Every structure is written in C-alpha cells, then in structure tokens.
Amino acid sequence: MAEPEFTATGVRIDKRLRSLTRAGQVRISDGRLELLTSHGSEIDSAPLGAVRAFRPWYAPDDRALADLDGKRYVLTLGDRDPAPGEPGPPAARRFIEAVRRAAGRGG
C-alpha cells in the first residue's frame, strides 16, 4: 500500500448532530478519503472524485466539512481549543488542500 497523502488522528467526526467518534482518523490514500474510528474501523470512504471538502465562513479554524457521496460530515481537526485571539491549528486548511491536490483540482 502506498504512503498516505494525508493523515490526521484525534479527529472528532460528527454527522448532523450525532458524534460518531471523538478520536477518529482521516486518511487520504490511493485516491480515496477514509474516515475511521480510533480503532481503525471504517465509518465511511469515497473516491476523491466524489468528495468535496471546505470550511464554511462561520466555522472555527479547526473545523472542515466533508461531503462523501452526498453524506456530510463535520471534522474537528484540532486537538486543542485556541486561546481567545489566537489562530486555530492549520490542520483543517491542510486537509482541504490535500483533498483538492489529491483529486487534481489544484491547491
């Protein structure tokens, strides 16, 4: 198996108002985006051509939305809350850029 193009651990993964995991994993590898539990069980996956990742204007810096074949997930990619006035961790931005790069849509 090829080296993953992007990996994040300790990710909170929500679907609508339901928390699926508070310490999950997000991985981009072999042209697919995978959402995994902390134990490595698959929550969902999709080919990158069917994935849309973005950060809405109202979301904190550590959050990204991911649509996988029409199913929307909220990903919290920071492992800490930033202090007031401090920028959040760049993991959400790196995730969105990695999805675009891996899908061939530019960075």
Side-chain angles (χ1 to χ4, degrees), residues 22-103:
R22 292 187 298 169
Q25 302 173 42
V26 175
R27 183 170 50 209
I28 297 173
S29 181
D30 298 327
R32 293 187 69 79
L33 172 68
E34 299 174 305
L35 304 178
L36 308 168
T37 66
S38 58
H39 301 291
S41 300
E42 185 175 293
I43 294 170
D44 201 353
S45 70
L48 286 167
V51 173
R52 193 169 74 109
F54 57 99
R55 193 182 73 75
W57 62 269
Y58 57 83
D61 288 341
D62 65 346
R63 292 213 181 112
L65 297 179
D67 279 334
L68 281 71
D69 283 329
K71 294 175 274 188
R72 181 167 292 177
Y73 296 91
V74 178
L75 308 176
T76 305
L77 291 124
D79 59 355
R80 64 175 178 86
D81 291 327
E86 180 184 332
R93 184 179 65 244
R94 286 188 303 112
F95 164 70
I96 293 166
E97 290 170 358
V99 168
R100 290 179 181 158
R101 223 180 11 259

